[in-house]
């Protein structure tokens, strides 16, 4: 009888702790509400910390929903005028030095962008988390003085860069402050740290993301949002192959 009571008390305590955690799907929906939008225009810098040198790439990006994106490189001079166009799951790049448009596909999408810790897949990925993953809230931890939910994600779609993820989500602001991305084998591929969260309209948004490719040496790549506008009109002609050479 004593053993049975112990088991019942332990089960009840587990149920109580579990009840205190948010539903995984609802938490992903709240994250998507902050991080996703119908469209946006932003300027950004990508600071690439190499073994010996550090260099910066500046760009401007237009996105419409989850399927269309157009980026133009502004700096440095040797990259100025380089453009990228994403339509659905296809990616094209225009290089002014060669005056050619090439398509990036297949294994090439996993290649580093300009020596950074980001791949072309990382730049293309903009789908809502709730559409791609099942989520399970497993606990709580503190990150940079903020109480976070620890969330484990498992992919529900086959063609995705990361089959598993682990997030540390700010309990108050519903924004990931740390992310780990995993291959299907369980290998840790990427780690990110999100910071400088600002209030923009009715959402919180991180202005800095430090990417680290865990399969290579280096100090990582910092992606900095300098200016951003959400849900503003974007001319449809921006998202055309003709815009690559304009």
């Amino acid at each position: 009888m004593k053993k049975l009571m112990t088991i019942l008390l332990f089960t009840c305590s587990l149920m109580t702790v579990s009840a205190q955690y948010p539903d995984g799907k609802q938490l992903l929906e709240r994250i998507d509400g902050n991080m996703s939008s119908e469209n946006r225009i932003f300027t950004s810098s990508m600071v690439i910390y190499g073994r010996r040198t550090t260099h910066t790439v500046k760009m401007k990006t237009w996105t419409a929903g989850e399927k269309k994106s157009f980026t133009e490189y502004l700096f440095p001079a040797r990259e100025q005028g380089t453009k990228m166009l994403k339509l659905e799951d296809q990616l094209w790049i225009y290089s002014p030095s060669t005056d050619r448009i090439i398509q990036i596909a297949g294994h090439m999408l996993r290649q580093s962008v300009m020596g950074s810790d980001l791949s072309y897949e990382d730049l293309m990925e903009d789908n809502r988390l709730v559409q791609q993953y099942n989520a399970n809230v497993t606990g709580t931890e503190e990150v940079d003085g903020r109480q976070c939910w620890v969330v484990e994600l498992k992919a529900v779609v086959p063609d995705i860069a990361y089959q598993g993820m682990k997030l540390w989500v700010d309990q108050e602001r519903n924004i990931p402050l740390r992310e780990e991305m995993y291959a299907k084998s369980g290998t840790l591929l990427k780690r990110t740290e999100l910071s400088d969260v600002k209030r923009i309209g009715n959402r919180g948004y991180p202005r800095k993301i430090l990417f680290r490719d865990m399969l290579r040496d280096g100090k990582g790549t910092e992606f900095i949002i300098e200016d951003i506008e959400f849900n503003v009109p974007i001319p449809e002609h921006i998202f055309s192959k003709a815009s690559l050479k304009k």
Side-chain angles (χ1 to χ4, degrees):
M1 186 68 178
K2 187 175 181 180
K3 185 176 181 180
L4 178 61
M5 288 298 295
T6 301
I7 293 172
L8 288 173
L9 287 171
F10 179 70
T11 303
C12 289
S13 65
L14 287 178
M15 291 175 65
T16 301
V17 171
S18 177
Q20 294 173 351
Y21 294 165
D23 175 77
K25 182 178 180 180
Q26 292 178 357
L27 183 56
L28 290 190
E29 289 173 343
R30 294 201 290 268
I31 295 171
D32 287 336
N34 277 315
M35 305 295 289
S36 300
S37 60
E38 289 300 317
N39 59 57
R40 58 184 180 265
I41 303 173
F42 61 93
T43 55
S44 60
S45 294
M46 191 164 62
V47 184
I48 304 166
Y49 300 103
R51 293 182 181 179
R52 298 181 180 179
T53 62
T54 297
H55 62 281
T56 300
V57 178
K58 294 182 181 292
M59 62 198 82
K60 185 171 183 178
T61 301
W62 296 255
T63 69
E66 302 160 0
K67 303 298 184 183
K68 299 177 183 179
S69 178
F70 184 88
T71 297
E72 180 175 1
Y73 288 82
L74 309 175
F75 178 87
R78 66 178 181 275
E79 303 295 347
Q80 190 173 9
T82 298
K83 299 171 185 176
M84 295 194 303
L85 172 66
K86 167 195 167 183
L87 297 176
E88 299 286 339
D89 58 352
Q90 296 181 308
L91 179 67
W92 292 272
I93 296 179
Y94 168 72
S95 172
S97 61
T98 61
D99 194 32
R100 291 179 57 199
I101 297 173
I102 62 172
Q103 185 173 1
I104 306 295
H107 70 278
M108 294 176 64
L109 290 169
R110 302 187 184 96
Q111 293 179 354
S112 165
V113 178
M114 297 188 178
S116 72
D117 290 63
L118 285 79
S119 68
Y120 290 105
E121 280 183 319
D122 292 327
L123 290 181
M124 289 181 66
E125 189 55 63
D126 199 32
N127 290 320
R128 295 174 182 266
L129 290 173
V130 75
Q131 296 174 347
Q132 298 179 308
Y133 294 97
N134 284 331
N136 182 31
V137 182
T138 61
T140 63
E141 288 184 24
E142 187 175 297
V143 176
D144 296 331
R146 307 283 305 185
Q147 286 297 317
C148 293
W149 301 116
V150 181
V151 191
E152 295 184 358
L153 275 58
K154 185 175 180 181
V156 294
V157 294
D159 299 326
I160 189 170
Y162 306 111
Q163 286 294 312
M165 293 180 66
K166 187 175 181 180
L167 309 180
W168 286 257
V169 181
D170 189 312
Q171 293 183 10
E172 181 182 353
R173 298 180 294 190
N174 295 312
I175 295 171
L177 300 182
R178 183 183 297 160
E179 302 171 326
E180 291 181 348
M181 293 81 153
Y182 293 87
K184 189 174 183 179
S185 64
T187 301
L188 175 60
L189 300 176
K190 296 275 177 72
R191 179 176 285 144
T192 68
E193 297 173 14
L194 298 86
S195 60
D196 192 23
V197 177
K198 302 294 185 183
R199 196 73 187 171
I200 304 174
N202 61 352
R203 73 177 75 213
Y205 200 81
R207 302 290 289 260
K208 294 183 180 180
I209 306 176
L210 179 63
F211 289 83
R212 288 193 176 95
D213 186 335
M214 305 308 293
L215 303 183
R216 57 185 277 182
D217 295 330
K219 298 179 181 178
T221 297
E222 193 167 31
F223 193 85
I224 303 168
I225 301 292
E226 298 177 350
D227 181 67
I228 188 166
E229 295 180 280
F230 292 100
N231 302 322
V232 292
I234 301 176
E236 185 61 30
H237 71 78
I238 290 287
F239 306 108
S240 67
K241 292 179 73 174
S243 292
L244 289 169
K245 285 195 173 187
K246 286 184 178 179

